[in-house]
Amino acid sequence: MNTKLFDHTILKAEATKEAVKKICDEAKEYGFMSVCVNGYYTAYAAGELKGTDVNVCTVVGFPLGQMATQAKAAETAIAVKDGADEIDMVINVGALKDGLYDVVRDDIREVKKACSGALLKVIIETCLLTDEEKVKACELAKEAGADFVKTSTGFSTGGAKAEDVALMRKTVGSKMGVKASGGIRDKETAMAMEKAGASRLGTSQTVAICR
């Protein structure tokens, strides 16, 4: 598989600097697209990956998405200042379910502004949504100027499903990216996600898949 499909991910609360260094070293060795980390490790990962073509991806509003928009925007600005090339933000799922679409759209839009040119991926947490809500979330992300939509945090009740990826791809069209994340642990699953329309895959099992 093309190694540039992968965001090599380490997001658990117990992640140590040594573990993040290992992920960065693996990303450099295999040529992954990015290393995906929590904000605390953004500057460290940026230092480890300096001079390479591996991006730093930082999660924002993670994993629940229900903090103030100003907090998400501030978190984004700090991450970009610390060296993030890409931002993966979580939408306010409750606001989406309440039909507060302006709230969801504005939340994404403010984070996009704070990206200052960094790529923005919007995590819609598909396991908590109906198909109609998945479509609406993708439409709102597109309207707000996001670059990607993403299936999952990997910290909720479920992860990526090929049928969700296909629905998201159908909704956003060919110009936006679709990232599948959560539960991708083997090559067969990774290939199924790519076939369904994913242009990026997030997983902590990247090395095992590529081997």
Side-chain angles (χ1 to χ4, degrees):
M1 295 187 73
N2 178 7
T3 58
K4 286 299 180 190
L5 278 170
F6 292 99
D7 290 345
H8 198 25
T9 304
I10 182 164
L11 296 172
K12 290 186 177 179
E14 67 271 25
T16 61
K17 185 176 282 189
E18 182 182 359
V20 174
K21 185 180 188 311
K22 182 173 183 286
I23 291 287
C24 289
D25 289 343
E26 289 171 346
K28 287 186 282 188
E29 179 184 352
Y30 285 86
F32 297 137
M33 188 66 198
S34 84
V35 164
C36 190
V37 295
N38 283 297
Y40 175 73
Y41 284 119
T42 302
Y44 177 72
E48 289 296 307
L49 297 170
K50 188 176 181 179
T52 76
D53 65 348
V54 180
N55 287 344
V56 177
C57 173
T58 303
V59 292
V60 163
F62 196 85
L64 302 178
Q66 283 204 332
M67 54 288 298
T69 295
Q70 296 94 321
K72 288 182 185 176
E75 191 179 2
T76 300
I78 292 166
V80 172
K81 178 177 172 289
D82 285 346
D85 304 292
E86 305 183 4
I87 298 293
D88 284 18
M89 70 164 287
V90 187
I91 66 163
N92 188 325
V93 177
L96 179 75
K97 286 186 164 293
D98 278 337
L100 301 174
Y101 301 139
D102 288 345
V103 171
V104 178
R105 186 190 301 107
D106 290 347
D107 191 53
I108 300 167
R109 188 173 284 141
E110 289 304 309
V111 171
K112 176 63 177 177
K113 287 179 187 175
C115 281
S116 300
L119 193 79
L120 177 61
K121 309 191 205 88
V122 175
I123 305 170
I124 67 172
E125 203 69 286
T126 49
C127 61
L128 303 179
L129 305 179
T130 65
D131 282 354
E132 291 76 13
E133 289 167 340
K134 292 167 196 171
V135 168
K136 190 63 183 178
C138 289
E139 289 173 346
L140 293 169
K142 189 173 184 178
E143 290 167 16
D147 301 289
F148 270 74
V149 286
K150 175 179 170 182
T151 60
S152 325
T153 61
F155 285 74
S156 190
T157 58
K161 294 181 178 179
E163 55 265 35
D164 287 337
V165 171
L167 179 63
M168 293 163 72
R169 172 55 71 199
K170 181 181 177 183
T171 303
V172 302
S174 60
K175 291 184 179 179
M176 277 183 76
V178 175
K179 178 176 173 179
S181 184
I184 302 172
R185 298 187 178 91
D186 55 56
K187 186 176 180 180
E188 290 71 28
T189 304
M191 291 176 70
M193 297 300 170
E194 185 183 11
K195 185 177 180 181
S199 48
R200 195 80 70 88
L201 305 174
T203 176
S204 59
Q205 302 300 312
T206 328
V207 172
I209 291 169
C210 288
R211 282 177 179 167

